[in-house]
């Protein structure tokens, strides 16, 4: 059972649910051929996902690796983020998107949704952090939120 009483896990879940909802909405809009609406939602995703992705890549994944966790590899998870980011960039940056590029974008969002669905295992792993580690990690999540970087601004 997940420890949703943990402030870190609770905050992470809030971000993750919003992230997943936007991914799903964009995928649905693309399937419905509503590319301009998908572009608007992709801009929202870019704004909200920056701190969440930065947290995962710079704080959570390395911290879990220090626990000796081998069931998720940092490289695999970061690669999945970058595939989704490529799709976000195409939607945001390209005025006209031809059919082949649209398929690439759809695949990127499909991969992102699959990644998001498997983040439950990350939450289980987060519960293995001791209270001090969770408190430190929560401070970093909040700092990154305050910083407010867009996803497309991350390196």
């Amino acid at each position: 059972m997940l420890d949703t009483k943990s402030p870190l896990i609770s905050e992470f879940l809030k971000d993750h649910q919003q992230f997943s909802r936007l991914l799903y909405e964009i995928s649905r809009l693309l399937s419905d051929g509503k590319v301009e609406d998908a572009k608007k939602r992709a801009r929202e995703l870019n704004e909200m996902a920056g701190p969440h992705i930065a947290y995962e890549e710079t704080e959570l994944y390395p911290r879990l690796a220090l626990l000796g966790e081998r069931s998720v590899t940092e490289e695999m998870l970061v690669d999945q983020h970058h595939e989704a980011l490529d799709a976000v960039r195409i939607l945001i940056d390209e005025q006209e998107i031809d059919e082949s590029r649209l398929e690439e974008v759809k695949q990127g969002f499909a991969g992102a949704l699959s990644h998001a669905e498997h983040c439950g295992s990350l939450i289980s792993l987060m519960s293995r952090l001791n209270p001090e580690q969770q408190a430190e990690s929560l401070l970093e999540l909040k700092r990154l939120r305050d910083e407010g970087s867009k996803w497309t601004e991350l390196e």
Side-chain angles (χ1 to χ4, degrees), residues 15-28 41 44-45 48 113 116:
D15 285 353
H16 188 71
Q17 287 167 345
Q18 186 179 9
F19 181 70
S20 297
R21 181 183 50 78
L22 283 167
L23 287 173
Y24 174 76
E25 287 177 17
I26 293 166
S27 293
R28 183 183 47 78
R41 299 305 273 171
E44 289 178 45
L45 178 65
M48 80 72 44
L113 278 168

Side-chain angles (χ1 to χ4, degrees), residues 4-152:
T4 56
K5 292 180 183 172
S6 157
L8 171 63
I9 292 172
S10 177
E11 288 300 310
F12 181 83
L13 277 171
K14 275 192 256 181
D15 285 353
H16 188 71
Q17 287 167 345
Q18 186 179 9
F19 181 70
S20 297
R21 181 183 50 78
L22 283 167
L23 287 173
Y24 174 76
E25 287 177 17
I26 293 166
S27 293
R28 183 183 47 78
L29 289 166
L30 291 170
S31 292
D32 292 346
K34 298 179 179 178
V35 177
E36 288 307 312
D37 291 337
K39 286 175 167 278
K40 289 176 191 168
R41 299 305 273 171
R43 287 183 194 92
E44 289 178 45
L45 178 65
N46 187 35
E47 295 277 339
M48 80 72 44
H52 182 78
I53 298 297
Y55 169 75
E56 286 186 351
E57 292 183 1
T58 64
E59 166 63 22
L60 181 61
Y61 299 163
R63 191 176 284 270
L64 293 177
L66 289 174
L67 290 176
E69 186 48 52
R70 301 280 184 245
S71 67
V72 292
T73 66
E74 188 175 343
E75 182 180 330
M76 174 194 73
L77 295 169
V78 171
D79 285 348
Q80 289 173 347
H81 286 169
H82 290 263
E83 290 169 15
L85 178 56
D86 290 343
V88 169
R89 282 193 171 118
I90 291 168
L91 274 180
I92 291 173
D93 294 340
E94 294 184 16
Q95 295 296 321
E96 296 294 322
I97 302 174
D98 65 27
E99 283 303 313
S100 67
R101 290 293 269 174
L102 189 56
E103 270 313 304
E104 186 180 331
V105 169
K106 287 178 181 179
Q107 292 290 48
F109 279 99
L113 278 168
S114 177
H115 171 84
E117 289 168 359
H118 291 96
C119 276
S121 60
L122 286 178
I123 295 165
S124 295
L125 295 172
M126 290 169 75
S127 67
R128 291 181 40 204
L129 298 171
N130 68 41
E132 183 179 302
Q133 291 169 319
Q134 286 194 25
E136 290 170 0
S137 196
L138 179 59
L139 284 174
E140 182 62 9
L141 175 60
K142 289 180 176 180
R143 184 191 71 73
L144 290 165
R145 282 180 182 163
D146 290 344
E147 194 175 274
S149 296
K150 293 178 182 176
W151 192 2
T152 53

